[in-house]
Amino acid sequence: INVRNVAEPKLVNQFRLASQIMDIEIKDNRLYAALGSGGVKIFDIANPLRIEELSSITLPFTVYDLALDADYIYLALGAGGWMIYQYR
């Protein structure tokens, strides 16, 4: 959503996913989405008109939340605990 004019935000693009989005984080023109039983997907959002899926992480656990720090993705898995993935 373009909010340059806060009185009239405009939809720029929409990206549909098969899984429910539990959480999203953005860092360096990349969007990281925690997708519950759908794992994690990473998108390039540098050009909002051409969103591109870069990578995905498939897990045997439900991903409820994620956090980013330096080159790490921290995943909250409910009763499954948590995991840390490194990316570059």
Side-chain angles (χ1 to χ4, degrees), residues 1 3 12:
I1 296 179
V3 291
V12 175

Side-chain angles (χ1 to χ4, degrees), residues 27-49:
K27 180 179 179 184
D28 300 330
N29 289 319
R30 292 190 176 158
L31 183 141
Y32 300 79
L35 301 175
S37 61
V40 174
K41 291 198 180 284
I42 303 169
F43 301 92
D44 181 340
I45 58 168
N47 179 348
L49 299 175

Side-chain angles (χ1 to χ4, degrees), residues 7-58:
E8 293 184 42
K10 296 187 187 309
L11 179 63
V12 175
N13 197 348
Q14 181 174 355
F15 200 95
R16 295 196 181 266
L17 298 166
S19 300
Q20 180 178 354
I21 298 173
M22 307 299 281
D23 184 36
I24 61 171
E25 298 287 335
I26 296 173
K27 180 179 179 184
D28 300 330
N29 289 319
R30 292 190 176 158
L31 183 141
Y32 300 79
L35 301 175
S37 61
V40 174
K41 291 198 180 284
I42 303 169
F43 301 92
D44 181 340
I45 58 168
N47 179 348
L49 299 175
R50 291 187 179 194
I51 298 169
E52 179 183 352
E53 183 177 333
L54 298 175
S55 185
S56 63
I57 301 170
T58 304

